[in-house]
Amino acid sequence: MTTGYPRFFIHRSIQAFAADIVAKHVSTKAKQPGDITAMLFPTPTIASRCVDFIRSRAPVDVCSNLQVINLVLDMSNPEARALEPLCPSISAVIMPQDGFPFAKQYWQHSGDGVSSRRAEFCHGLFKDGLLRPDTELRNADASAPAKPCRGPKRYQRQASLDAGGNQQPNVHGNVNGTTGETAMIQETSRFLEERFGRNLDLSFVQPAKSAIKRRIAGALRSADHDLGGSHSLSEKQMSSNTRGIANLREEDIYLFPCGMNAIFHAHRALYSIRTPPGSTPLKSVNFGFPYVDTLKILEKFNPSGALFYGRASESDLDDLETRLEAGERYLALFCEFPGNPLLTCPSLVRIRELADKYEFAVVVDETIGTFANVNVLQFADIVVSSLTKIFSGDCNVMGGGAILNPNSRYYSALKAFVQKEFEDTYWPEDVIFMERNSRDFVARIDRVNANAEAICRVFKGHPLVKTLYYPKYNDSRANYEAVKLPQGGYGGLVSVVFKEKEQAVAFYDAIETAKGPSLGTNFTLTSPYVLLAHYQELDWAEQYGVDRDLIRISVGLEETDELVNVFTRALKVAEAQS
């Protein structure tokens, strides 16, 4: 296998950089070079979390041989000055090969790892001697310790990375900055293009983040947003959003390197503010059959574990209510809307009522429903989403978002936590790609909604189809309608179970679409989802009604008639197996 989904398979560019760090800076003594490996993260704080995770699970011989190497700009090199605003730092967790499976778990579950674009850029600096271990630089000049990414004051926060602080400097240029700061940004952009062949105008990064956040809020729907002009909408314009929350502000929306990272940090924030020192942590609730790593986060990053309801049914809510009435208390309830892959929609109205009565937080993942179709923020304390999917659509960048509901009882505590702990690790190049890709998001959603319904009409009532899963046709449709926007549709994800396994195999082999993991691509993507995502736990999945032979279709932007013909032809091939 040469490549794969980024959180499950570490990109080759990242692997190559990690190998070079080990080769140059790790003494293997009598061991073979392959006995030592590295996992790369954007900041020392994140690397430390990975080390803590490994130490909580790995054997003693692994834990005693962990090391972190923090690579920062060598400011004694004249070329480094122009790179300051980018903050191109890397923290490598060095470990024996036996420790890799534990580090890989942290990488996959948390989404905290470096992106391939960051790795490729920083690898180039490393080869040119511009990135060096911070310990080397301190030893070289003990009287003036090197500060990673210390640029103009406007780009700094109070704590520096190598001083043990938890915050990454706000390094991205502001178009309203002073003349000196603007000159620094222009110098950096020119240097990047001339030295590394990268056309990256840093003056666009902060406006791009702003545009992404306002699209997420539903306050910016135009496809022709000009990043070169004023990027700030008025508070009145911001209050007119599809979320229906007039006091929602851009500062309540946070961007992350991937969607799972948004979920990870939502849990981390709630765990922190709701677990007083010395107290026993409360369990979280995973309500509904989840995407793989959501449940893993709740189980592995909370010693009290999680209560899992796999069907997201009314009877599951009845059971939860009975537990609450009996005195059980919970940290937070996490759910997807709709769920993946059965597209089940939990009753957010009832969940909100229980949360208010029994004081637990509600985190809703709207990735599949999308904020162009549904408004779930009114029922949640935090809404998370994977921007990697249909928000981007182009399969060339990852990203995640989280919204804090300003009307939540936990809002003040969450804001205080975020202001202290949040590290903005979204690499500038990734930001630029995400902003460009998402400009026509709303128009693409409309097309995807229409195509998905057309495909459902092909499946619905077909004699080979045992069950069709789609929010419009599921038993939980009323819960979807309760939050559906007036102009919204039912989304671009469809799942189908055939009456016989052989029919499913024949259909999958015959379908003339792209095939593989992920969803939300601009092209239609078909996958045997359960076999891919739950291969080691197929019996467990079937306990919750998730058939191992289920076929999941992420619907794209192709011509509707063309898609109908593609699926009709594949069904005819499957009919021959009957």
Side-chain angles (χ1 to χ4, degrees):
M1 184 170 176
T2 59
T3 190
Y5 193 75
R7 281 189 308 100
F8 292 81
F9 184 94
I10 298 174
H11 194 281
R12 284 194 163 191
S13 296
I14 301 172
Q15 294 182 45
F17 189 12
D20 279 0
I21 292 172
V22 170
K24 185 170 184 177
H25 292 296
V26 178
S27 174
T28 57
K29 298 181 180 178
K31 295 182 179 181
Q32 296 296 318
D35 290 342
I36 304 296
T37 189
M39 189 73 80
L40 307 187
F41 299 97
T43 72
T45 301
I46 295 173
S48 294
R49 281 202 298 267
C50 179
V51 169
D52 290 343
F53 182 86
I54 297 171
R55 284 179 173 155
S56 70
R57 287 162 174 78
V60 174
D61 60 333
V62 170
C63 297
S64 61
N65 288 284
L66 297 175
Q67 175 188 0
V68 176
I69 296 177
N70 299 314
L71 297 173
V72 299
L73 282 172
D74 178 3
M75 297 308 296
S76 67
N77 190 315
E79 289 188 342
R81 178 180 177 273
L83 295 167
E84 285 181 279
L86 271 177
C87 194
S89 61
I90 291 287
S91 292
V93 177
I94 311 298
M95 73 204 85
Q97 278 289 352
D98 290 346
F100 181 81
F102 303 97
K104 177 63 163 49
Q105 287 181 46
Y106 182 83
W107 172 286
Q108 177 179 323
H109 300 330
S110 72
D112 261 342
V114 299
S115 75
S116 57
R117 285 191 181 91
R118 178 192 282 264
E120 289 170 357
F121 185 84
C122 291
H123 197 182
L125 301 184
F126 179 79
K127 290 177 179 179
D128 290 342
L130 292 171
L131 275 190
R132 295 174 56 192
D134 58 355
T135 52
E136 283 187 7
L137 298 176
R138 282 198 293 267
N139 292 336
D141 187 1
S143 63
K147 300 287 187 180
C149 311
R150 187 182 179 196
K153 290 183 179 179
R154 189 178 190 87
Y155 302 140
Q156 300 178 43
R157 294 189 183 180
Q158 292 181 352
S160 65
L161 297 180
D162 65 341
N166 291 327
Q167 300 186 27
Q168 184 179 22
N170 180 6
V171 299
H172 308 312
N174 188 316
V175 294
N176 296 320
T178 64
T179 301
E181 291 156 0
T182 301
M184 168 65 87
I185 293 169
Q186 292 172 344
E187 178 187 0
T188 301
S189 299
R190 184 168 56 252
F191 177 84
L192 291 173
E193 186 170 3
E194 293 175 355
R195 181 73 169 77
F196 299 101
R198 282 175 132 82
N199 185 11
L200 174 60
D201 190 338
L202 286 188
S203 67
F204 287 166
V205 175
Q206 191 58 40
K209 286 185 177 181
S210 177
I212 292 170
K213 290 180 179 181
R214 290 171 183 267
R215 285 184 192 127
I216 292 172
L220 181 64
R221 299 173 69 82
S222 173
D224 57 356
H225 184 56
D226 180 11
L227 298 185
S230 174
H231 64 276
S232 178
L233 298 178
S234 69
E235 295 299 338
K236 182 177 181 181
Q237 288 173 303
M238 184 67 183
S239 66
S240 177
N241 60 71
T242 59
R243 302 287 184 174
I245 297 180
N247 57 336
L248 180 64
R249 298 292 178 263
E250 183 178 327
E251 293 74 23
D252 298 326
I253 302 169
Y254 298 87
L255 302 180
F256 296 88
C258 65
M260 195 52 60
N261 196 234
I263 296 172
F264 176 78
H265 285 288
H267 175 263
R268 182 169 165 261
L270 289 168
Y271 181 90
S272 177
I273 69 170
R274 302 209 63 213
T275 309
S279 66
T280 301
L282 297 171
K283 286 184 178 181
S284 285
V285 177
N286 192 135
F287 198 75
F289 197 83
Y291 183 68
V292 179
D293 292 300
T294 301
L295 181 57
K296 303 300 183 186
I297 287 172
L298 305 187
E299 291 176 336
K300 294 185 179 182
F301 294 91
N302 182 341
S304 297
L307 177 63
F308 177 52
Y309 291 103
R311 295 180 181 272
S313 63
E314 286 299 311
S315 60
D316 283 346
L317 273 180
D318 291 341
D319 183 81
L320 176 61
E321 186 169 14
T322 298
R323 290 171 179 266
L324 291 164
E325 289 174 346
E328 293 187 26
R329 292 296 178 265
Y330 299 97
L331 177 79
L333 182 148
F334 287 72
C335 68
E336 298 174 4
F337 196 93
N340 180 16
L342 301 185
L343 290 309
T344 303
C345 299
S347 173
L348 295 183
V349 174
R350 189 174 173 194
I351 288 171
R352 183 72 261 167
E353 291 172 351
L354 292 175
D356 289 340
K357 184 176 181 180
Y358 296 104
E359 299 185 1
F360 60 83
V362 177
V363 181
V364 180
D365 183 344
E366 66 177 8
T367 299
I368 295 173
T370 82
F371 53 85
N373 288 325
V374 296
N375 177 18
V376 300
L377 183 59
Q378 58 188 316
F379 299 107
D381 298 283
I382 304 176
V383 169
V384 295
S385 181
S386 173
L387 307 180
T388 309
K389 309 303 191 296
I390 191 62
F391 186 78
S392 167
D394 273 347
C395 308
N396 61 359
V397 67
M398 298 181 73
I403 308 176
L404 304 185
N405 187 336
N407 300 322
S408 165
R409 73 169 70 203
Y410 305 108
Y411 177 76
S412 295
L414 286 169
K415 288 294 283 188
F417 175 85
V418 168
Q419 287 169 4
K420 178 182 178 183
E421 298 287 338
F422 178 68
E423 292 185 294
D424 183 356
T425 61
Y426 204 10
W427 184 242
E429 287 180 285
D430 294 329
V431 172
I432 294 294
F433 273 84
M434 182 62 73
E435 190 282 322
R436 289 173 180 167
N437 292 354
S438 62
R439 292 179 186 179
D440 61 347
F441 166 67
V442 173
R444 285 187 287 113
I445 282 292
D446 291 342
R447 179 66 171 269
V448 163
N449 287 339
N451 280 348
E453 290 205 40
I455 290 173
C456 283
R457 289 192 291 271
V458 173
F459 284 128
K460 193 165 177 60
H462 193 281
L464 298 190
V465 173
K466 178 181 178 181
T467 312
L468 172 67
Y469 296 100
Y470 191 62
K472 186 174 182 177
Y473 301 114
N474 284 357
D475 292 341
S476 60
R477 175 175 177 173
N479 295 332
Y480 189 93
E481 297 289 351
V483 299
K484 180 175 171 288
L485 292 169
Q487 74 279 11
Y490 296 91
L493 202 65
V494 178
S495 292
V496 62
V497 174
F498 289 86
K499 291 179 180 178
E500 302 293 339
K501 176 180 179 178
E502 293 74 18
Q503 297 164 351
V505 171
F507 173 85
Y508 182 75
D509 287 345
I511 193 73
E512 300 170 88
T513 68
K515 298 173 183 177
S518 194
L519 59 91
T521 52
N522 286 338
F523 51 86
T524 297
L525 184 63
T526 307
S527 73
Y529 174 77
V530 183
L531 290 176
L532 290 177
H534 300 282
Y535 186 75
Q536 303 296 334
E537 49 190 17
L538 294 174
D539 292 340
W540 172 81
E542 286 191 333
Q543 294 179 50
Y544 302 102
V546 183
D547 192 290
R548 67 184 62 200
D549 298 319
L550 175 145
I551 302 295
R552 192 188 73 177
I553 301 123
S554 173
V555 182
L557 302 176
E558 297 90 345
E559 292 294 329
T560 304
D561 290 344
E562 176 189 344
L563 275 180
V564 168
N565 290 335
V566 165
F567 279 83
T568 300
R569 287 195 298 269
L571 281 172
K572 287 182 178 179
V573 174
E575 289 171 4
Q577 299 296 316
S578 301

